[in-house]
Amino acid sequence: MNIATADSRLSEAEESGETIKDSAFMREALALAREAWAAGEVPVGAVVVKDGLIVGRGFNAPISGHDPSAHAEIRALRDAAQRLGNYRLAGCTLYVTIEPCAMCAGAIMHARIARLVYGAPDAKTGACGSVVDLFAEAKLNHHATVESGLLAGECGGLLSEFFAERRVQQKERRGED
């Protein structure tokens, strides 16, 4: 990367309020999302970070695992809990490429994640404001800080490319043009 590009990226990050570390952690989640795609899964990736270190990683695997709960967020939370030896992940940040669904939002709350950072909104199942906002529900006993839109274009673009490719494959299987 040349210096002008690095300076430009730094300026964009500073203007949007994100940190360089936030971007780096989201890029790790994007790399995991690409692993999900390579495995034939919807490309969603997530990492859990504590004290500046990745302590949990996950990507979508409900199809291959025959497990409807094997979303990237759940798998990253499980990985972090095992590594840290505690199901409570206080002081941790979860980075995920797409807005969590209601199931994942519930798990994030139960794990006591302090901060959630996601990339692209999910207009169909997003539980952080797109469809419902579980983190704004006053009756619930834990509320993570939620930040959205980090590398949203890249995160959303990956999903769009995946589903476009899948539609082409489905047409080919049906013998359509």
Side-chain angles (χ1 to χ4, degrees), residues 21-22 24-26 28-29 46-57 76-77 80 84 89-96 113-117:
K21 284 186 179 182
D22 283 342
F25 291 131
M26 186 61 79
E28 288 294 321
V47 296
V48 177
V49 174
K50 183 169 179 78
D51 300 327
L53 300 173
I54 294 175
V55 295
R57 298 173 187 273
L77 293 172
L84 296 175
L89 301 175
C92 291
T93 298
L94 174 67
Y95 295 85
V96 60
I113 290 289
R115 180 172 170 243
L116 165 65
V117 180

Side-chain angles (χ1 to χ4, degrees), residues 42-44 60 71 73 96-104 118-133 148-149 152 155-156 159 163:
V42 175
V44 178
N60 266 9
H71 288 195
E73 300 94 320
V96 60
T97 56
I98 192 168
E99 180 180 3
C101 68
M103 174 184 69
C104 293
Y118 70 87
D122 185 346
K124 294 183 180 181
T125 64
C128 303
S130 291
V131 176
V132 297
D133 191 348
S148 62
C155 293
L159 286 161
F163 285 113

Side-chain angles (χ1 to χ4, degrees), residues 6-176:
D7 289 344
S8 168
R9 293 174 94 194
L10 178 60
S11 297
E12 289 171 17
E14 289 170 342
E15 286 175 20
S16 69
E18 72 186 54
T19 68
I20 299 303
K21 284 186 179 182
D22 283 342
S23 294
F25 291 131
M26 186 61 79
R27 291 202 184 288
E28 288 294 321
L30 277 161
L32 289 164
R34 289 182 187 93
E35 287 185 43
W37 186 341
E41 301 279 354
V42 175
V44 178
V47 296
V48 177
V49 174
K50 183 169 179 78
D51 300 327
L53 300 173
I54 294 175
V55 295
R57 298 173 187 273
F59 60 81
N60 266 9
I63 298 166
S64 60
H66 309 289
D67 179 358
S69 69
H71 288 195
E73 300 94 320
I74 301 290
R75 295 183 75 212
L77 293 172
R78 287 176 180 158
D79 187 34
Q82 289 298 309
R83 288 175 191 240
L84 296 175
N86 194 338
Y87 76 106
R88 298 283 196 214
L89 301 175
C92 291
T93 298
L94 174 67
Y95 295 85
V96 60
T97 56
I98 192 168
E99 180 180 3
C101 68
M103 174 184 69
C104 293
I108 291 164
M109 288 180 215
H110 286 290
R112 302 298 194 260
I113 290 289
R115 180 172 170 243
L116 165 65
V117 180
Y118 70 87
D122 185 346
K124 294 183 180 181
T125 64
C128 303
S130 291
V131 176
V132 297
D133 191 348
L134 293 179
F135 292 97
E137 178 54 55
K139 293 177 185 174
L140 297 173
N141 68 339
H142 178 71
H143 298 93
T145 300
V146 178
E147 298 172 31
S148 62
L150 180 62
L151 303 179
E154 194 171 341
C155 293
L158 188 65
L159 286 161
S160 295
E161 289 175 38
F162 172 81
F163 285 113
E165 180 181 282
R166 185 171 271 185
R167 284 189 294 276
V168 168
Q169 291 169 345
Q170 287 172 342
K171 281 184 177 182
E172 288 173 353
R173 280 193 291 268
R174 291 190 306 251
E176 298 176 13

